[in-house]
Amino acid sequence: MNYNEAEKKLKKYGQDHVLKYYDQINDDEKKALLDQIGSADFSVIESSIEAMEAPAKEHKISPIEALKLPEIGDSMDKYKNIGLDAIKAGKVGAVLLAGGMGTRLGAEGPKGVFNIGKTREVYIFQRIIENMLDVVKEAGCFIHLFVMTSDKNDEETRNFFEAHQYFGYDKGFVSFFKQDMALATDVNGKVYMSSKYHIADSPNGNGGWFLSLKKSGLLDVIHNEGIEWLNCFAVDNVLQRIADPVFIGAVIDHGDKCGSKVVRKADPDEKVGVMCLKDGHPSVIEYYEMTPKLRDTRTSDGEYAYNFGVILNYLFDVQSLEEIASSRLPWHVVNKKIPYLDENGDLISPEEPNGYKYETLILDMVEMFDSCLPFEVVREKEFAPVKNKTGVDSVESAQKLLEENGYTL
Ligand code: UTP
């Protein structure tokens, strides 16, 4: 994109201040800025803020039936065999969502390089690979792992895997792709500059994974290899089972195109999104959207009706993903601290949230499916997220759970 085109595009969205320093930057920087303006989607900003400020739409929320532990136990062998057959036939791939910033953990760099060991080094990426290797051993074949990174952590993530020889995984079965970035703005929707030649931006949320995967060309690899199912999971749950044959088998056996691992809520007020039906479609209701009435609703057998929390471990049918890929996921506007250039061109790191980041979320993808199987797993065995330094969902709590599961740290 040339200067005139950039100016025109910026004017259209009321963002002309982006070119304020153009005369002060060198040719390479000019090119970098024009390229960023060319590829950036400014239209997201206005529509997202408008949607955020609009009155919330009324939806009909109703409970969804989960496949619970006793039922899973009864059909364990059947599900496992179906899942293992799919894995052995090369029909299953895994997608590690590792493009996040891990701000709550506060560690520099990719979250997966965080060492949660006590007497030895145990990296989060290592735990993920070890868990995958359990299934690889059982199935007798490798599972293609697609790792989503972002501009902010791509190089370090790739180098880390290389430096650790992929923790024993066959590197021929590991592919990396970068997610797209979204612009960051002040509360009035004006983009911030993070330098004189770069608009402040951040990873565009974990909902962008499929379009980014497609953009990277890896969807062709998925087609060529005959992969029909993708198990998407978060980087920070150090206990989760990945490409779990029982989960895969259950989803296939039930004829669903989407499945979600869920855990029983620790208490009715736990801050976790729970599965439900929204206007008849599978959906995730966020804890802050949960009204007291919904929270206290019970089923005929006395259980809480909205009791199954998502742990960000989903199974998706690839063909369905392609059909829904063009559907627009809603953008979420998140109030965050965004470093920015002030009037004098000095970089300021704010102490308090000073603007908005824009993200799409993987949980909104679930709603685009006609059905989704909530699949219960034992919380203490499969859910140890490392979100915070201390307290709930922290390094300490994850270490404790790993040790309780017999893992030496
Ligand atoms: P979180 O919502 O916990 O975000 O991501 P985060 O960025 O890791 O951590 P905070 O909120 O800054 O502390 C859940 C999962 O989604 C991935 C994360 O890497 C994690 O596996 N994710 C999140 C992405 O891949 N891209 C994103 O843009 C955001």
Side-chain angles (χ1 to χ4, degrees):
M1 170 165 274
N2 65 33
Y3 181 88
N4 289 339
E5 288 164 341
E7 193 179 35
K8 198 168 154 206
K9 181 170 179 183
L10 292 169
K11 277 218 169 90
K12 180 173 166 199
Y13 294 105
Q15 307 282 3
D16 351 2
H17 60 287
V18 167
L19 292 169
K20 177 174 170 188
Y21 302 104
Y22 196 76
D23 293 337
Q24 301 172 28
I25 56 182
N26 69 31
D27 286 350
D28 286 346
E29 293 167 347
K30 282 182 176 148
K31 182 173 179 320
L33 180 59
L34 294 180
D35 284 350
Q36 192 191 15
I37 297 167
S39 59
D41 185 355
F42 292 91
S43 68
V44 166
I45 298 168
E46 201 181 318
S47 56
S48 307
I49 295 181
E50 269 171 20
M52 176 182 71
E53 287 168 349
K57 285 198 193 104
E58 290 281 318
H59 294 285
K60 186 176 175 328
I61 305 293
S62 51
I64 188 169
E65 196 65 39
L67 189 64
K68 302 192 190 86
L69 291 171
E71 299 153 276
I72 296 170
D74 288 346
S75 302
M76 179 73 83
D77 290 344
K78 178 174 79 163
Y79 293 154
K80 195 173 198 169
N81 287 334
I82 297 174
L84 280 174
D85 283 349
I87 294 170
K88 286 179 189 163
K91 292 183 181 169
V92 180
V95 182
L96 164 57
L97 304 171
M101 302 281 281
T103 38
R104 280 170 288 172
L105 188 59
E108 288 292 309
K111 213 186 226 184
V113 311
F114 192 85
N115 176 13
I116 50 162
K118 287 180 169 175
T119 59
R120 62 191 186 109
E121 287 170 355
V122 179
Y123 301 102
I124 291 182
F125 281 142
Q126 176 185 346
R127 285 296 309 127
I128 286 169
I129 295 295
E130 284 170 351
N131 286 345
M132 287 194 72
L133 282 170
D134 288 346
V135 184
V136 165
K137 239 180 254 159
E138 198 172 9
C141 63
F142 276 90
I143 295 155
H144 203 138
L145 173 65
F146 300 90
V147 183
M148 182 167 86
T149 63
S150 80
D151 272 356
K152 310 263 181 199
N153 66 18
D154 183 70
E155 205 183 330
E156 207 180 330
T157 303
R158 289 172 193 251
N159 291 343
F160 190 79
F161 272 92
E162 276 294 327
H164 291 88
Q165 291 85 41
Y166 292 75
F167 298 104
Y169 213 77
D170 182 337
K171 68 185 267 190
F173 286 88
V174 182
S175 305
F176 297 89
F177 67 101
K178 269 202 268 183
Q179 74 176 100
D180 293 317
M181 304 294 279
L183 304 174
T185 72
D186 66 15
V187 291
N188 299 310
K190 297 280 179 209
V191 293
Y192 278 124
M193 300 300 289
S194 60
S195 75
K196 292 183 176 175
Y197 56 93
H198 193 80
I199 308 171
D201 58 4
S202 66
N204 67 347
N206 56 27
W209 73 271
F210 187 70
L211 287 178
S212 298
L213 180 121
K214 196 172 168 187
K215 207 164 145 188
S216 73
L218 284 172
L219 193 55
D220 296 337
V221 172
I222 286 173
H223 288 153
N224 292 341
E225 293 183 0
I227 294 173
E228 295 178 7
W229 296 93
L230 288 172
N231 179 201
C232 294
F233 61 98
V235 68
D236 43 37
N237 180 1
V238 290
L239 266 185
Q240 69 190 313
R241 311 308 306 165
I242 299 148
D244 173 357
V246 184
F247 176 42
I248 296 164
V251 175
I252 295 175
D253 190 55
H254 280 246
D256 285 304
K257 301 290 181 198
C258 168
S260 167
K261 284 200 168 184
V262 292
V263 291
R264 234 163 247 266
K265 280 200 321 191
D267 65 79
D269 290 316
E270 191 189 2
K271 290 184 173 167
V272 61
V274 296
M275 297 253 1
C276 66
L277 288 173
K278 185 172 169 187
D279 302 328
H281 273 260
S283 181
V284 178
I285 179 161
E286 283 290 4
Y287 67 89
Y288 49 82
E289 296 168 328
M290 188 67 106
T291 61
K293 189 170 164 224
L294 284 178
R295 184 195 61 193
D296 296 336
T297 307
R298 294 190 186 247
T299 59
S300 52
D301 43 18
E303 277 201 58
Y304 284 111
Y306 302 96
N307 202 23
F308 289 99
V310 288
I311 60 169
L312 218 172
N313 189 313
Y314 299 102
L315 186 69
F316 295 116
D317 163 64
V318 173
Q319 199 184 328
S320 309
L321 284 170
E322 290 183 67
E323 285 158 17
I324 64 172
S326 55
S327 316
R328 271 225 174 268
L329 287 175
W331 285 92
H332 295 256
V333 180
V334 205
N335 199 209
K336 293 263 179 170
K337 290 186 245 177
I338 301 159
Y340 66 101
L341 286 195
D342 69 5
E343 289 298 290
N344 309 317
D346 296 324
L347 186 65
I348 307 293
S349 289
E351 298 284 320
E352 297 298 326
N354 61 330
Y356 297 146
K357 287 185 175 179
Y358 301 79
E359 297 182 341
T360 59
L361 303 179
I362 190 168
L363 54 84
D364 287 322
M365 285 182 116
V366 172
E367 213 169 308
M368 300 191 166
F369 284 79
D370 291 331
S371 69
C372 176
L373 182 72
F375 177 93
E376 186 185 5
V377 296
V378 180
R379 187 186 189 99
E380 293 73 21
K381 289 193 176 156
E382 283 211 37
F383 191 43
V386 181
K387 298 281 184 198
N388 307 302
K389 269 193 188 143
T390 52
V392 179
D393 296 343
S394 65
V395 178
E396 288 163 5
S397 61
Q399 283 173 329
K400 190 164 168 276
L401 281 162
L402 276 172
E403 286 172 337
E404 281 169 13
N405 278 279
Y407 194 87
T408 309
L409 287 171

